[in-house]
Amino acid sequence: MVSSFDELMQVQAAITVAVLQAHHSSWNKQYVVLPHDTQEVSGVSWDGSIKYHPLDVVEPLQEMFDRAGQQHDSETLDRYREALRTVFHENIHLLAGPGTSLAFPLDAYEGKAHRTFEEAVTERATQNELNNFITRLGLEQIAPRISGAQAGAYGAYVPAVDSFSAAVGADVGLDADEVIRRMAVVNSAQKFPVAAELLYSKHLSELVPETAKADAIRRIAEAMHAPLAAVHDYNSKDPSDVAISALAGRSAFRQASAEVEKIAAEWSGNQDLRRTLDAGLGATTPLHKPRDNRAAAGPHTNGEDSPHPPSWNAKPTDRRPPTPGPSRSPGD
């Protein structure tokens, strides 16, 4: 059990890696407390550091630890849970697969599709696993009933990734939450390819030669982009936008499935060529990391535009209006 804000800051990345069963975190073990009067919100930076706003994160959590064991009203518990959600969300942004980091490759963060998908997957994973994060930290003893409090962000983005992950999961035989987890434990450059590889493995692995696998996955991944790019500018306070977001997720799956069918048609009559090309070639490593037994993981585990630094924030705040600039996230 952590008993102070400082202890939480020390173990935040290790607990996130354990909860999500990720390969590693890109956190550089540095966090910055932003000035009170800044319009910048909590987020992560290219160098792997984390920025926390004092009003949204630092002060609520310090208060929570100072009042350890006390009973709180629902409003106070929601405020504490929201601060913890922000911490967990930012640490999920920093997860990465073998041989990669947050900022590899640097040019993978172009465009609205990647930014929407990054935030949506990260927030859904945050909501799915936040109580596990709280349990591993022992925070029910610090703030009783915090596991039942309310917190969340990116209300216009999450419906898209919910419908998308449900459709992919149903197609390949995985729970939607597991599809989300596999996409959450890799960086932004790999999230679309992880989903694409699931579809590839189910439908194309016996048709497409190993030498053409990477191109096939690239094509499937790119087919997902357009519907999700449109979600980037949706408003979470507009019910019609939220409803259309879910439709966009299903559209992304349908377009990916159409590309799978197209690739299958291209290779279905060329199996002699496939066997020739595959001769002597070994299997490649999957992009995702399958989930191990959850009990085995312990808390001791340590339109497109130009590229922007991944200073994603866990919840754009109504208190501080957004300003343009590369340190901002796309917003809720």
Side-chain angles (χ1 to χ4, degrees):
M1 180 180 75
V2 297
S3 58
S4 69
F5 179 77
D6 288 341
E7 287 182 22
L8 173 60
M9 291 296 98
Q10 291 172 16
V11 302
Q12 58 183 322
I15 299 298
T16 302
V17 168
V19 169
L20 272 296
Q21 298 192 13
H23 183 269
H24 71 280
S25 170
S26 298
W27 185 44
N28 66 4
K29 297 180 169 46
Q30 301 294 319
Y31 73 92
V32 176
V33 178
L34 297 167
H36 270 82
D37 60 353
T38 185
Q39 293 184 334
E40 189 174 3
V41 294
S42 301
V44 298
S45 300
W46 278 122
D47 64 358
S49 61
I50 307 178
K51 298 172 289 185
Y52 291 130
H53 198 285
L55 298 179
D56 295 334
V57 177
V58 181
E59 292 175 7
L61 293 180
Q62 287 176 334
E63 177 188 301
M64 181 185 75
F65 285 111
D66 288 344
R67 301 172 65 186
Q70 296 181 21
Q71 297 293 325
H72 305 291
D73 59 27
S74 296
E75 182 179 352
T76 300
L77 287 172
D78 289 351
R79 185 161 54 89
Y80 293 166
R81 185 179 177 90
E82 176 59 26
L84 288 168
R85 188 201 64 79
T86 300
V87 170
F88 191 37
H89 181 110
E90 299 308 341
N91 276 276
I92 293 176
H93 276 310
L94 290 163
L95 298 178
T100 68
S101 67
L102 169 74
F104 176 82
L106 287 173
D107 62 356
Y109 300 93
E110 296 184 26
K112 295 180 177 181
H114 278 87
R115 281 185 253 161
T116 300
F117 206 51
E118 175 68 31
E119 288 297 352
V121 169
T122 299
E123 180 58 23
R124 170 45 65 202
T126 300
Q127 294 182 24
N128 286 352
E129 300 289 355
L130 182 54
N131 278 347
N132 289 330
F133 183 71
I134 288 169
T135 297
R136 285 177 181 265
L137 292 165
L139 295 179
E140 269 291 333
Q141 298 176 58
I142 301 296
R145 298 185 299 113
I146 194 170
S147 295
Q150 300 297 312
Y154 292 98
Y157 289 8
V158 171
V161 80
D162 282 351
S163 59
F164 176 80
S165 60
V168 171
D171 187 73
V172 304
L174 290 173
D175 289 340
D177 288 354
E178 175 62 9
V179 175
I180 290 290
R181 190 198 67 84
R182 294 190 186 198
M183 296 187 295
V185 298
V186 297
N187 68 10
S188 183
Q190 291 190 305
K191 281 181 169 56
F192 281 115
V194 161
E197 187 179 9
L198 289 172
L199 297 175
Y200 175 94
S201 297
K202 174 70 174 181
H203 301 289
L204 298 174
S205 59
E206 299 300 318
L207 285 173
V208 178
E210 193 70 17
T211 53
K213 176 180 178 179
D215 185 64
I217 290 174
R218 176 193 59 78
R219 288 172 57 182
I220 298 165
E222 289 180 356
M224 304 170 182
H225 289 189
L228 293 166
V231 176
H232 180 272
D233 298 317
Y234 286 1
N235 182 353
S236 64
K237 295 179 175 61
D238 185 337
S240 63
D241 276 1
V242 174
I244 295 172
S245 174
L247 295 176
R250 288 193 286 273
S251 177
F253 169 73
R254 286 195 298 270
Q255 293 196 27
S257 296
E259 191 65 27
V260 167
E261 292 177 3
K262 183 177 179 181
I263 295 168
E266 292 170 3
W267 284 102
S268 61
N270 291 292
Q271 290 306 287
D272 288 342
L273 175 60
R274 179 191 67 81
R275 285 186 285 271
T276 299
L277 292 173
D278 278 345
L281 294 178
T284 58
T285 303
L287 293 169
H288 62 270
K289 178 184 176 183
R291 179 185 286 272
D292 299 322
N293 188 311
R294 293 176 70 84
H300 59 279
T301 318
N302 185 27
E304 305 290 301
D305 45 24
S306 60
H308 286 256
S311 187
W312 299 294
N313 68 287
K315 180 183 178 184
T317 174
D318 294 332
R319 184 183 61 256
R320 294 181 301 279
T323 56
S327 64
R328 302 288 301 182
S329 85
D332 188 2

